[in-house]
Amino acid sequence: MIKVVITAFVIAGLYFGQEILMPLAMAGLVTVLLTPIVVHLERWIGRIAAVFVAMIVLVSFAVGVGGVLTGQMINLAEKLPDYKENIRGKLQTLKMPGAGHFSKFNEMLAELKRELPGNEEQKAAVQAQAALQKVIPVVPPPPVPNAPPSSIAKPAAPTTPVTVVETRRATPMEAAAALITPVMGPLGTTALVLLLVTCMLLQRESLRSRLTRLIGRANISATRRALDDAFARVSRYLLMQFLVNLADGLVVAAGLYLIGVPNVLVWGVLAMLLRFIPYVGAWIAAAFPLLLSIAVAPGWSMLVLALSMFVVVELLFANAVEPWLYGSHTGVSAFALIVAAVFWTWMWGAAGLVLATPLTVCLVVLARHVPDLALLGVLLSDEEPLAPHEEFYHRLLSPQDKDAGDYAEACIKSTSLTAFYDSVFIPSLAAIERDHQIGELDVTQLVALHGDMSDVVEELGSLPDEKSEADKPDDEAGGFSTPSPTCRVLCLPARAARDGIAAAMLQQLLQRRHYSAQSLSVQLTTGELIEAVVQDDAEILCISAVPPSTILQTRYLCGKLRARCPRLRIIIGLWGAAADVEATKRLRAAGADDVVTTFAEATALISKHAIVLSHEAGLATPSIDESERLAELGALDLMDTAAEPALDRITKKVSQILNTPIAMVNIINAERLFFKSHLGLPDSVAQSKSFSRQLSVCGQLVTSNKPLVVEDIARDRRFSSNPWLQNLKLRFYAGVPLRTSSGHAIGALCVLDYKPRKFGDHENRLLEVTADEIMELMEGRTKQAAQELVAA
């Protein structure tokens, strides 16, 4: 039904547009603009009175503005003859030599000069000379004897007789009819529009119900939404356009008044009205005052100022005022507006050009809600014709353009890398696989597309993600922000090449969050994958599967891995798949800890698992011989003692040899760590001389009584959240225990650095030898003190 109505509307417009449909469309737009005012007035004075008040105000405003403009136009017509000298002077400046390519242009200027007001005498002289030539025959000169034939004048061509016809004067009735006839058409159209507006305002509910029945009686709610949407968009467009045009007219009038152009009220109103015509209306309105500025001023400065003012005002309104006031756009593409302007102008002339945008907006809104008009929505709407994943797939199919990567980068600028992978990349990958299954893509094309997608993933891995803070890597140059708790994650493909691409994407996202992540090759067999997992020291395993892969292979792989690695945390990623409770149950029964469908879920879940693993790892607890260790420490009497130059020299030597900014000799009792000797500590820390054993890495070293090397503290889940290390921004630690002759560790010799670094066996041996030297010094001093005490 709706297609029949649209077809009938177009056919009727072609034949009766100017007489019927154009006034009806204008009435509809005026009704939309006046409806909010009438609805507001109805609450106080009733509908009929509200409609008539609104119409009286509208007509009075139009008549008042028309009267003022008429007076201004009459005043302008009276002043035009006064400007003939300025016009003549400017035409003289434009005069060019008669010969050459511009001769015809000079003749045109001469014709224009003769047609200007004030040249009646010159025209009369020219006409009199032409009449005289017709009355007095031109006598040829007598022939010259013995003259060559070429020099003998040819006889003049015969003249055409002129007949003088006397026209009778028109009667007063005929003169009045000649004046009124051109005005009757516009007045009749205006009266028809006003009558239609009045009827539409009085019966707007009835008209809405009839439109609902005509467009979609079977679905009243959808039709109502479509009509409300169209009404809201068109009314907002008209109101905002009226306000913008009014402001533009005021600015133009004020600018022309300051420049000195006369009759600024006419040009302001003209600028306001003609700006309803898209694209060209503003410049048509500017042409009249620009031409007048040429006539008014003797020089060219007024023209230059007026032209500059129009350019600045149009740029300001088009690029700043309109976007700010309109807020949401009309929903029509720029190309569609141009085509609509051409179409409606062809149908209805200048009025169609004014009505083009509102009518097109109505069509686009109806197309969004009426399935039969979906074609118009695709052609006219400013919405993207393809979904993001479809557009990405389309660009992948055009490898010669090489713009799939550019499109991906553009998407990431407005979102995050994780969101792009979830909403664009994975759906595109699944669409490629479906097309391959139904025969739309052969194996060669499939392999080529997989290679292109792998290249895009590799390119995106080097881009910073400016939208999502979670995807931002730490500043390698100097930032030492604390990352999330870390652990090693292994990413496995379930079976196909698409699963391997998804595993590489997850690995990339995890590495951006500073996890130690690795993806295994899809070329490995199931047995080889299992052996690789067993030999790796990963703590979390994520198996990737992209539709149309079934869960059968994923379930089989998960069961095998659970049997070989019972303590391993296994996450299944069914990327892009719909939530399936039954499939999730089967995968959990096979040994999976969790099942996710998006990369955002996977990264958040892995972060939670990493925190749990950090807590499970815990810190070493004191052994059962702690009391014996404390007894030996008390016998040495090292806690809270003064600094010793010999120890300070050893500490400085260790720092220089190993090239570390911090070196320390620490003594540790049951509760505290005491700085016996130190080099490089900040003053605020050094002045405290001690801090809690629970916060110290050396405390763990003493508890285990073994050397300890942490090459990157931020990636060691035992110490990555240690507040003392975080405050000092320390990233490296290496230490060895200070053992007594009985083998108990009473303290530690350690070095620290602000950046991660490697620490080999040679450096570790050097620390152990130095630690033995320190203990010999301490125990020797204690024995000497005991001997002196006995001797005394």
Side-chain angles (χ1 to χ4, degrees), residues 492 520-535 557 561:
L492 273 67
L520 299 183
S521 173
V522 73
Q523 304 297 330
L524 299 177
T525 64
T526 301
E528 292 172 338
L529 286 175
I530 295 173
E531 289 302 323
V533 172
V534 172
Q535 294 176 8
L557 182 60
L561 288 169

Side-chain angles (χ1 to χ4, degrees), residues 33 232-248 272 275-279 314 316-332 337 354 357-358 361 382:
L33 190 61
R233 285 181 177 270
V234 174
S235 60
R236 176 180 176 81
Y237 167 78
L238 291 176
L239 178 60
M240 291 298 102
Q241 187 69 48
F242 174 77
L243 294 177
V244 169
N245 293 359
L246 178 62
D248 180 80
M272 181 187 73
R275 210 172 185 280
F276 279 100
I277 301 176
Y279 304 112
E314 184 60 23
L316 178 65
F317 274 78
N319 297 290
V321 177
E322 286 182 348
W324 175 62
L325 282 180
Y326 287 165
S328 59
H329 45 67
T330 58
V332 183
L337 286 177
V354 175
T357 300
V361 170
D382 63 348

Side-chain angles (χ1 to χ4, degrees), residues 90 475 601 662 671:
K90 288 187 171 62
D475 185 3
E601 293 179 49
I662 300 175
E671 299 175 354

Side-chain angles (χ1 to χ4, degrees), residues 429-447:
L429 188 57
I432 290 173
E433 299 298 332
R434 285 194 298 269
D435 287 349
H436 173 63
Q437 284 192 339
I438 63 177
E440 294 293 335
L441 297 174
D442 56 30
V443 176
T444 304
Q445 292 173 313
L446 180 66
V447 173

Side-chain angles (χ1 to χ4, degrees), residues 505-521:
M505 293 157 60
L506 179 60
Q507 174 198 355
Q508 183 186 98
L509 293 175
L510 292 174
Q511 288 178 344
R512 292 166 69 88
R513 290 165 171 78
H514 297 279
Y515 287 91
S516 175
Q518 180 183 355
S519 62
L520 299 183
S521 173

Side-chain angles (χ1 to χ4, degrees), residues 363-413:
L363 287 177
V364 170
V365 172
L366 289 176
R368 290 177 177 174
H369 300 276
V370 180
D372 292 338
L373 298 180
L375 177 63
L376 291 178
V378 174
L379 295 176
L380 303 179
S381 174
D382 63 348
E383 296 178 351
E384 293 295 335
L386 297 176
H389 70 278
E390 295 172 336
E391 181 67 25
F392 183 66
Y393 183 14
H394 172 69
R395 295 182 184 233
L396 284 170
L397 292 174
S398 303
Q400 64 274 11
D401 297 335
K402 299 294 183 183
D403 60 349
D406 297 337
Y407 180 76
E409 293 179 18
C411 291
I412 292 173
K413 289 181 180 179

Side-chain angles (χ1 to χ4, degrees), residues 758-772:
K758 298 293 183 180
F759 202 76
D761 294 337
H762 176 73
E763 289 87 351
N764 194 62
R765 181 57 184 164
L766 177 63
L767 281 182
E768 290 179 341
V769 171
T770 307
D772 292 340

